Amino acid sequence: MSFFSFFPVRILLWFVARVALSRLCFDSRPELKDLIDAAGNSYPIGIWVNDWATGHLTARVVQIVIKEKLGYNVELKGPGALTLDGFFALTGCTSPGDPTDHGCGDPVDRVTDVHINVEVWTSFYQLVWDELQRKYPDRAPRNLGNMGYYGSTAFYVPSGVQERAYDAEGINLDFYRDYNSSRENPGRHFANPGDINVSYLLPCTETALMLNEVMSNYLDLTGDLEGVSGTAPDLTGKCYDAYFWLAPGCRTQPSTCLIWFTGGNGWGMFELLLKATAYNMPVATAVASSFANYGLVPNSYDVMLYWWALLGPLGNLDWSNQVLAGSCESM
Ligand SMILES: *[C@@H]1O[C@H](CO)[C@@H](O)[C@H](O)[C@H]1NC(C)=O
Ligand SMILES: *[C@@H]1O[C@H](CO)[C@@H](O)[C@H](O)[C@H]1NC(C)=O
């Protein structure tokens, strides 16, 4: 989907939020209700918040609508850095974002105080979703459908990099075959691991590379034992220089790796690892240490960027269209 079908939805939600908020000010509604379980315990409805701007916004809108229209107490929980965290929170796991132990316990029934999660980017986590359904059939989350709009993510390449690569070698860098490190050396047109000031980055021990779900899936599909450490359920990605993970395409010569750059705790990592290895791309992953640095680094270094729409701090840069077929998500 395009940016243009995305934008009006956000405006509409903001408008709804404003109207709901202004009503709240004049509303003298009586006591709000709680949920009550079979044992007579009462608790508010819990909304799991995804920790990005539209995650916070849509969670607040749902909270206001439930309070105003259904008369229930609603608490916001989280936030979670990855869509995955919400899966675990809704399953009743006590530490959804802890990569080493999500705290899901035995597959018996248990009460969860988290009931709703919106702005969910699911498409790369189907295996985890299916596993939760299988292991915890009574308390795994259910997908109630599209909330009314779509999002798309992709890998973006700066236009300047594309021009230089085309002038020098006649490769256009908009198709995976131009990144095959057996034939090309695209890393020379990008920033490499040694170039980047690591004070802008998260150590890889704090990223999605530490998630067994991410790395087990990677290992199952690629068989790349050199790219991982440990064994399931403590399988992690192998770190290089504390901040990077290197794809097989440049692992023996890290200085030829191009930097693939993302935010959160490694948004898009699930997808990138597989594509980099399947397409033999010379890639080093790097994760911004804050949202501000996520916007700052691409202005200073030539990186391949994981992004969803060219808004905000990167709006003034000249970037090529998405490369390597992004994914489309229904919200
Ligand atoms: C890296 O960035 C930090 C923070 O901006 C700065 O203090 C430091 O001098 C930089 N290091 C190098 C080698 O440029
Ligand atoms: C990369 O190039 C090599 C050598 O030409 C070829 O054998 C291999 O199939 C290519 N890989 C992909 C993913 O296209």
Side-chain angles (χ1 to χ4, degrees):
M1 61 117 254
S2 74
F3 159 65
F4 297 100
S5 57
F6 206 47
F7 195 51
V9 176
R10 312 263 155 130
I11 296 287
L12 178 64
L13 288 169
W14 180 236
F15 176 70
V16 171
R18 294 299 303 203
V19 170
L21 275 170
S22 63
R23 288 233 179 117
L24 191 63
C25 301
F26 301 105
D27 210 348
S28 56
R29 190 181 292 278
E31 288 291 284
L32 293 170
K33 291 173 283 190
D34 273 338
L35 297 175
I36 301 174
D37 70 12
N41 305 311
S42 69
Y43 45 87
I45 293 175
I47 298 183
W48 185 260
V49 181
N50 290 327
D51 198 9
W52 44 90
T54 47
H56 285 274
L57 176 63
T58 50
R60 283 285 288 135
V61 170
V62 174
Q63 181 188 36
I64 291 164
V65 170
I66 295 176
K67 275 180 147 170
E68 294 279 305
K69 292 295 171 196
L70 302 180
Y72 279 92
N73 275 314
V74 184
E75 271 181 13
L76 300 180
K77 312 276 186 181
L82 282 186
T83 283
L84 267 185
D85 299 356
F87 289 7
F88 292 107
L90 266 70
T91 303
C93 308
T94 49
S95 45
D98 182 344
T100 56
D101 182 6
H102 299 290
C104 299
D106 297 327
V108 291
D109 228 357
R110 65 155 89 166
V111 172
T112 168
D113 55 4
V114 184
H115 312 101
I116 297 172
N117 184 205
V118 290
E119 250 281 336
V120 179
W121 298 68
T122 54
S123 64
F124 292 104
Y125 305 118
Q126 190 65 41
L127 291 178
V128 180
W129 177 271
D130 291 345
E131 196 189 337
L132 286 172
Q133 302 297 323
R134 191 174 48 73
K135 265 172 112 171
Y136 308 103
D138 296 331
R139 55 187 171 102
R142 266 174 287 160
N143 186 346
L144 301 184
N146 187 316
M147 62 185 274
Y149 59 94
Y150 294 87
S152 79
T153 60
F155 306 157
Y156 291 84
V157 175
S159 297
V161 169
Q162 221 180 358
E163 289 300 317
R164 283 203 300 280
Y166 189 69
D167 284 347
E169 305 175 65
I171 53 174
N172 203 39
L173 298 181
D174 58 358
F175 190 51
Y176 73 93
R177 285 197 154 156
D178 289 339
Y179 292 85
N180 185 340
S181 66
S182 304
R183 309 170 62 101
E184 315 287 350
N185 184 5
R188 79 177 67 159
H189 307 293
F190 290 85
N192 313 116
D195 298 334
I196 198 159
N197 184 334
V198 296
S199 73
Y200 299 128
L201 306 181
L202 272 187
C204 52
T205 51
E206 293 173 31
T207 70
L209 288 166
M210 297 298 114
L211 291 173
N212 181 64
E213 288 79 22
V214 173
M215 298 317 300
S216 289
N217 180 62
Y218 173 75
L219 183 60
D220 287 350
L221 293 173
T222 64
D224 175 26
L225 283 164
E226 300 297 314
V228 299
S229 300
T231 51
D234 300 313
L235 197 71
T236 61
K238 195 171 277 178
C239 295
Y240 168 77
D241 263 6
Y243 292 89
F244 308 94
W245 174 90
L246 307 182
C250 61
R251 203 171 277 155
T252 54
Q253 275 183 289
S255 63
T256 65
C257 296
L258 65 90
I259 300 271
W260 175 86
F261 189 65
T262 188
N265 69 341
W267 296 332
M269 192 71 87
F270 213 79
E271 168 186 2
L272 181 278
L273 297 181
L274 293 172
K275 284 185 173 168
T277 298
Y279 300 155
N280 196 26
M281 295 168 68
V283 163
T285 67
V287 182
S289 57
S290 65
F291 197 79
N293 288 339
Y294 189 18
L296 201 148
V297 165
N299 285 293
S300 314
Y301 299 94
D302 287 325
V303 294
M304 180 184 278
L305 180 67
Y306 180 78
W307 200 255
W308 51 95
L310 294 182
L311 285 171
L314 303 168
N316 299 329
L317 277 186
D318 185 17
W319 290 75
S320 79
N321 286 329
Q322 63 187 46
V323 297
L324 304 170
S327 79
C328 189
E329 301 265 355
S330 113
M331 298 296 185

